[in-house]
Amino acid sequence: MARPRPASQLRPFGVLFGCLLLLTACGADAGSGDEKGARPAGFPYTVTNCGVRTTYEEPPQRAVAMNQHATEVLLALGLGDRMVGTAFLDDEILPEYAAEYRKIDVLAKQYPSREALLGANPDFVYGGYESAFEKSEGRDRSTLGESGINTRLNIESCTKGRVGPDELERELRETARVFGVPKRAERLIERQHEQLDAVAERLDGVDRTDVFVYDSGEGSAFTAGGGGIGVELIERAGGRNVFADVGKPFADVSWEKVVERQPETVLLYDYAGTPLTEKRKRLLDDSALQDVPAVRDREFAVLPLSSAVLGVRMPQAVEDLARQLHPERFPKSGDKAGR
């Protein structure tokens, strides 16, 4: 997904999973080169990311993260002390990272100008969406490279087709490797598997719920298709994306198609712009949708946009959505799922 998003005032999701990440991200890797004066282990390191081949002679020391999921990946890997700037959140940073995040300069509410970005004197810029490296703004990867700044783009932006845990593992491993802390990624990945496995066990044999993602739109519906991570989140949460046959991560579909596919639940993506109350009202007030089961029965689920992209929130997003689609599989008393 290449579109920029404005900052918002959402309540944070994923507290449980984030706490696990925080506990595991703080320890330094043995042999990672953290000791001053020591040659970093594993360097030089060469990686090809979204078509850009880069050789790192040493780990970055002055990183800027643009977009929420890029920022949280670095914080989850315990790299806040190497961040000199951040920009463009979709919602509030996870609370377990809030204290570390407050130490980092916010370069802009949305994307910083080239001048503001260069003013932070970064040696590494990490973008969540392609829009982070907008050529017309002088922030494209080749131009930054000419200024001696290495870059990385979240691989959801350049992966064709579905995106899931394998791609998240790659994103974490490669990012951690760039910074010389590979063991931190392995600890995060281990806990991701634990949480995803626990949810899968809860949902064993469940009847899947037909889900329509409503991101935005009036004349047509902007929805999640079969590309990107959205379809994977829904399926792992015990749902079925009714527009999984649409090849793109996001696409406009007609409201007639929504009626034809008769979703049982509407999944609302929450971010700044149109409030959730207005999204619900738009659906409930549309006479053409009154016979759609999800609208008729007022069956709505919600995820913040930052949980619906390739980032460290993914396993908790699966659990959050599963709890909304199949609450009977997650009894409140004595619930230990994901712990």
Side-chain angles (χ1 to χ4, degrees):
M1 182 168 58
R3 54 187 181 160
R5 291 289 192 177
S8 74
Q9 304 297 322
L10 305 181
R11 292 184 297 272
F13 274 58
V15 173
L16 175 59
F17 179 56
C19 290
L20 289 170
L21 300 189
L22 186 63
L23 289 172
T24 60
C26 297
D29 286 8
S32 66
D34 286 346
E35 294 182 6
K36 293 182 179 180
R39 179 174 176 80
F43 287 86
Y45 168 58
T46 300
V47 63
T48 299
N49 163 244
C50 292
V52 177
R53 183 178 174 85
T54 305
T55 296
Y56 294 86
E57 298 294 338
E58 59 185 8
Q61 299 298 320
R62 298 183 59 81
V64 170
M66 297 200 284
N67 306 117
Q68 179 107 15
H69 46 314
T71 295
E72 291 185 346
V73 164
L74 294 187
L75 292 175
L77 289 171
L79 297 169
D81 59 342
R82 300 198 216 172
M83 296 178 68
V84 296
T86 184
F88 217 143
L89 298 191
D90 288 309
D91 53 69
E92 294 180 7
I93 208 75
L94 286 169
E96 55 270 25
Y97 307 137
E100 191 69 18
Y101 175 77
R102 284 193 292 269
K103 300 175 186 177
I104 304 166
D105 289 339
V106 177
L107 304 183
K109 290 188 67 175
Q110 297 187 7
Y111 289 128
S113 66
R114 173 178 168 81
E115 292 73 20
L117 179 59
L118 295 181
N121 191 29
D123 58 8
F124 179 83
V125 176
Y126 184 18
Y129 303 125
E130 287 179 315
S131 51
F133 298 113
E134 178 59 48
K135 186 173 184 178
S136 64
E137 300 293 331
R139 296 192 310 266
D140 57 293
R141 298 181 72 180
S142 60
T143 299
L144 292 176
E146 292 169 2
S147 299
I149 303 170
N150 291 321
T151 57
R152 180 174 180 85
L153 176 61
N154 184 291
I155 62 172
E156 185 174 17
S157 294
C158 61
T159 299
K160 294 182 179 180
R162 297 178 60 142
V163 175
D166 289 347
E167 286 73 26
L168 180 54
E169 289 179 20
R170 178 183 168 194
E171 186 69 20
L172 291 174
R173 285 190 172 113
E174 290 184 356
T175 303
R177 185 72 174 77
V178 164
F179 282 87
V181 291
K183 291 182 180 179
R184 299 184 191 180
E186 298 309 315
R187 290 193 286 268
L188 295 184
I189 290 167
E190 181 181 356
R191 281 157 179 78
Q192 288 167 3
H193 281 298
E194 290 175 357
Q195 185 164 22
L196 290 171
D197 289 347
V199 173
E201 184 177 352
R202 290 289 187 111
L203 297 178
D204 185 39
V206 77
D207 290 332
R208 292 190 176 275
T209 301
D210 287 338
V211 177
F212 157 57
V213 174
Y214 181 44
D215 176 290
S216 57
E218 290 291 334
S220 60
F222 194 55
T223 190
I229 200 169
V231 67
E232 183 83 13
L233 291 175
I234 292 169
E235 289 189 2
R236 285 180 174 269
R240 182 187 298 106
N241 184 355
V242 296
F243 288 105
D245 59 327
V246 176
K248 299 178 181 179
F250 282 85
D252 285 297
V253 298
S254 69
W255 290 110
E256 289 78 11
K257 288 290 186 182
V258 175
V259 173
E260 287 177 10
R261 302 199 178 189
Q262 293 285 289
E264 299 168 282
T265 297
V266 175
L267 171 57
L268 302 173
Y269 281 171
D270 195 3
Y271 55 90
T274 305
L276 286 176
T277 53
E278 292 186 21
K279 291 186 181 184
R280 288 192 182 95
K281 186 175 188 302
R282 189 261 173 267
L283 299 175
L284 293 170
D285 289 350
D286 190 334
S287 58
L289 301 178
Q290 297 313 299
D291 290 331
V292 172
V295 177
R296 181 193 64 216
D297 299 334
R298 296 175 177 258
E299 291 291 341
F300 295 100
V302 177
L303 283 179
L305 181 65
S306 56
S307 292
V309 291
L310 191 69
V312 295
R313 296 184 181 213
M314 180 204 166
Q316 186 63 44
V318 169
E319 182 173 334
D320 288 337
L321 182 55
R323 287 175 179 273
Q324 294 176 80
L325 297 181
H326 301 286
E328 74 283 357
R329 295 297 181 101
F330 297 86
K332 294 181 180 180
S333 177
D335 185 11
K336 296 182 180 180
R339 298 183 185 179

